[in-house]
Amino acid sequence: GETRCEGPFGIALKGSGVDSLVFHSVADHPTVVIVEDGRVTFHDAGDLWGRPISQTVDMLEAQFGPDIHTAVIGPAGERLVRFASIVSERSYQTARMGMGAVMGSKRLKGIVIQGDHHPPVATPDICAEITEQYRAKMCDNALTRWQLDPPGFSAWVHLHGLDAALCTRNYRDSVFEAADSYDAKHFMHYYRHEGNCPGCPNNCIKFFATDDEGAYDPRAGGIHQEITGTLGPNLGIADLDTIFRANVLCNDLGLDPTSLGFTLSMAMECVERGLLTEDTIGMPLRFGQSAVVLAMIRDIAYREGFGDVLAEGTRRAAARIGGEAERYALHVKGLEMVCFEPRTQTNLALGYATAPIGPRYDICEHDWDYDTQVGWEHTLNSSRTVGILERIPMDYLGEEKVRNFKALATLWSSADALDFCIFAIAPTRVLTLHNMAELLGAVTGWNTSAYEIMRFGERRIHLMRVYNLREGLTAANDTLPPRFFDEPLRMPGKRWDRTRLDRERFAAAVQTYYRMMGWDDASRPRYETLLDHHLEWVVDEGHASRKGKVNSDE
């Protein structure tokens, strides 16, 4: 499992006097951990248990001071909802893979960072120079400018309604008839302010609130790109009031909005197809029912009524429902899908299928950026430095696309390994791969290079693949839900009408990726590949063998 978030918490953690926190075992009672100047103390959190996140942070600030930084769970994490999130600073979610449930299982209500004890950077002048270069260039980069200017990158649904297929009603449909209601101009009525990632001039997380701020805390209004698509067209929801209320609920109750959205859309489709009844659910859970969606979000977070079933996520909930429900449970490796269409964006299709963590929309840069008809003008400027030399249609699926995908996935894997923000870096934002190496050296003092950065990214992918193989995830799991192979898009008169993924060509593309990575056809890294990346220790410790098998006893 892996997740990450934007906002101030990461910088605060570095200033706490520790480099990382590892939690073992289970606390005897609800606990909050305080970290300051390298010292860790444990405090009883009995009075915080059961409270939503904003209220929890209010109480922590009253006890420890207004300048603390927090990462806490809400009722969803306490009740072990499979897709519960950890939320920092009330709004910045670690939103994938159920990390909030992991904290809940340990009775760990939250982490509080106090003080500021940052180590000095190696070359502060270079850090400042790169920051100013970024500030000067960010308005000239069309993609970064879109993130910078309100309402920000959560306002995208209306664009995909024109240029690409839009995930609508559990990917059953491809065109959302109310896409115009998501036009950027409609967002501004709800806009409040921008979030803050310390040190970055481009505050791309924006805060939105509805007029009923007493019921929906505006401090929990920070919104990410996926939410409008996943809780909007995917659920047939056309009004922004519902989107922003649902976003606040997710942030305050501690729910991953992406997994939530696809769990709800699975249940809605099951109702339409007669696999679930409204009597069983206890409410009319159908596409487009705004009030019902908001009510079900609460039921899931508190595991009340049928919400207890849906709190298990799409795979387990579908098994409980039975019949053909599993066909409408859109997940890979147990992790729910995301709302960017893989039938028209084959880089993303390969990423969703082969990524060790399952589908994440930021596993690689999107094909839309490189498309021959609608791609950004500047796309190839930095992409050429990782070997992407020409534009390829979004829906093309062949060896050339696999080559591009490998480069893009490796680059953003390195960003995850090194804590670079993908919304600032190559291949399509302001910072080039060379800038990344400069910045890494300026912060750490390492004599590094762009080549080493790419090596970090590939090494990470190999290591995570070995881990998954050891845990029973194999090449058989590197695929997509049947819907994307069996059901073509329905967009009469549009570019993507009748488009679907060809199952055999997709399987061949996955095999090509394995071989380009130095893995065998069963997705097992060859010993020579491990040796090349200084990972021979996974063989020495028995996690793999020289023959590529999962462990040395095979």
Side-chain angles (χ1 to χ4, degrees):
E2 177 189 75
T3 188
R4 58 172 175 76
C5 70
E6 293 79 19
F9 188 81
I11 301 254
L13 179 62
K14 188 64 180 178
S16 71
V18 302
D19 290 321
S20 63
L21 294 169
V22 181
F23 292 94
H24 298 272
S25 193
V26 180
D28 293 331
H29 52 77
T31 299
V32 165
V33 168
I34 314 296
V35 187
E36 181 178 13
D37 198 17
R39 296 187 303 273
V40 178
T41 57
F42 297 81
H43 296 253
D44 182 85
D47 59 339
L48 301 175
W49 201 255
R51 298 183 186 274
I53 286 166
S54 286
Q55 189 179 114
T56 299
V57 176
D58 287 343
M59 296 175 69
L60 290 170
E61 289 178 345
Q63 182 176 1
F64 298 105
D67 296 327
I68 61 172
H69 295 277
T70 57
V72 302
I73 61 172
E78 297 169 1
R79 289 161 175 78
L80 309 186
V81 174
R82 295 280 181 175
F83 45 89
S85 301
I86 306 166
V87 180
S88 71
E89 320 298 335
R90 297 185 178 89
S91 267
Y92 300 95
Q93 285 213 23
T94 60
R96 300 252 66 190
M97 306 197 81
M99 296 300 174
V102 177
M103 278 183 64
S105 73
K106 296 177 175 295
R107 301 193 187 96
L108 177 59
K109 179 64 174 178
I111 302 163
V112 174
I113 304 297
Q114 287 184 305
D116 185 353
H117 312 282
H118 280 88
V121 299
T123 315
D125 291 348
I126 294 179
C127 291
E129 180 182 345
I130 293 173
T131 300
E132 290 310 308
Q133 289 175 355
Y134 182 94
R135 190 190 310 275
K137 294 178 179 178
M138 65 183 183
C139 291
D140 296 328
N141 180 295
L143 185 51
T144 304
R145 185 65 181 262
W146 175 42
Q147 298 167 194
L148 173 67
D149 292 339
F153 63 0
S154 63
W156 61 269
V157 166
H158 61 299
L159 298 175
H160 277 246
L162 296 173
D163 296 328
L166 183 63
C167 167
T168 304
R169 289 178 279 270
N170 204 39
Y171 278 111
R172 188 193 67 193
D173 301 318
S174 316
V175 177
F176 189 48
E177 57 279 359
D180 287 346
S181 66
Y182 286 82
D183 191 285
K185 64 178 179 287
H186 300 311
F187 279 65
M188 295 309 297
H189 170 73
Y190 305 92
Y191 179 69
R192 296 298 183 265
H193 58 86
E194 60 187 18
N196 174 31
C197 290
C200 180
N202 184 359
N203 295 322
C204 56
I205 302 297
K206 314 299 184 186
F207 281 66
F208 298 86
T210 53
D211 294 332
D212 49 355
E213 294 185 357
Y216 297 92
D217 192 333
R219 298 174 300 173
I223 196 168
H224 217 294
Q225 189 174 9
E226 293 172 277
I227 292 167
T228 44
T230 307
L231 299 180
N234 182 53
L235 301 183
I237 301 297
D239 63 285
L240 290 177
D241 281 83
T242 300
I243 299 303
F244 296 130
R245 288 170 180 152
N247 178 59
V248 168
L249 286 177
C250 287
N251 289 338
D252 212 22
L253 299 175
L255 286 169
D256 170 5
T258 298
S259 286
L260 167 71
F262 280 98
T263 302
L264 288 173
S265 63
M266 179 271 296
M268 290 173 176
E269 186 162 5
C270 286
V271 170
E272 285 198 353
R273 295 180 182 275
L275 300 169
L276 263 178
T277 67
E278 293 179 2
D279 289 341
T280 299
I281 298 172
M283 60 181 76
L285 188 62
R286 293 181 176 271
F287 292 111
Q289 298 296 314
S290 296
V292 175
V293 166
L294 296 176
M296 185 54 76
I297 290 174
R298 290 186 172 92
D299 282 359
I300 289 171
Y302 288 98
R303 284 189 175 269
E304 294 178 351
F306 197 73
D308 185 47
V309 175
L310 297 184
E312 291 296 296
T314 53
R315 181 171 63 178
R316 292 178 175 87
R320 289 272 299 273
I321 295 167
E324 293 186 346
E326 292 187 11
R327 179 172 182 81
Y328 311 114
L330 304 185
H331 68 85
V332 179
K333 302 179 177 75
L335 183 67
E336 286 76 18
M337 278 293 294
V338 296
C339 59
F340 296 94
E341 176 64 69
R343 283 170 288 196
T344 58
Q345 299 194 74
T346 50
N347 265 345
L348 290 181
L350 288 166
Y352 298 161
T354 64
I357 54 176
R360 202 175 78 184
Y361 90 108
D362 50 4
I363 206 68
C364 68
E365 188 63 79
H366 293 198
D367 306 65
W368 194 95
D369 296 22
Y370 296 90
D371 185 61
T372 52
Q373 295 187 31
V374 299
W376 302 99
E377 290 184 6
H378 70 279
T379 298
L380 294 181
N381 293 348
S382 291
S383 299
R384 293 188 181 97
T385 66
V386 293
I388 298 176
L389 306 180
E390 59 186 358
R391 297 185 181 277
I392 298 178
M394 281 194 273
D395 63 330
Y396 173 76
L397 183 60
E399 293 178 345
E400 297 89 346
K401 183 62 77 74
V402 180
R403 178 175 60 202
N404 287 7
F405 165 69
K406 177 180 180 292
L408 294 171
T410 300
L411 176 56
W412 279 8
S413 174
S414 71
D416 284 336
L418 295 166
D419 289 331
F420 277 109
C421 177
I422 64 163
F423 302 117
I425 63 167
T428 58
R429 274 78 171 180
V430 173
L431 296 180
T432 66
L433 186 55
H434 177 67
N435 292 149
M436 292 167 65
E438 286 183 311
L439 188 57
L440 181 61
V443 170
T444 63
W446 299 348
N447 180 16
T448 188
S449 66
Y451 174 78
E452 185 179 34
I453 284 179
M454 294 295 284
R455 293 275 290 182
F456 284 144
E458 194 162 324
R459 183 179 193 270
R460 172 181 169 276
I461 294 172
H462 295 314
L463 186 58
M464 295 173 82
R465 175 63 56 160
V466 171
Y467 184 100
N468 277 4
L469 287 166
R470 189 190 70 176
E471 298 302 309
L473 290 167
T474 68
N477 301 105
D478 288 344
T479 188
L480 296 171
R483 169 158 278 172
F484 300 111
F485 301 108
D486 299 337
E487 300 179 27
L489 300 174
R490 293 179 295 175
M491 305 177 68
K494 298 288 184 72
R495 176 183 178 187
W496 307 116
D497 189 38
R498 312 308 300 170
T499 298
R500 65 178 178 86
L501 289 171
D502 181 272
R503 189 175 266 101
E504 290 185 5
R505 290 184 66 187
F506 188 75
V510 170
Q511 287 290 315
T512 299
Y513 174 65
Y514 290 169
R515 293 165 188 168
M516 292 183 73
M517 288 296 294
W519 303 347
D520 66 18
D521 289 350
S523 82
R524 300 174 299 203
R526 301 184 186 280
Y527 176 74
E528 294 78 8
T529 302
L530 298 173
L531 181 67
D532 182 37
H533 288 272
H534 298 268
L535 291 174
E536 65 272 17
W537 59 267
V538 303
V539 173
D540 298 338
E541 293 186 7
H543 307 301
S545 76
R546 286 179 178 265
K547 294 180 180 180
K549 294 183 179 179
V550 177
N551 58 57
S552 58
D553 294 329
E554 293 187 29

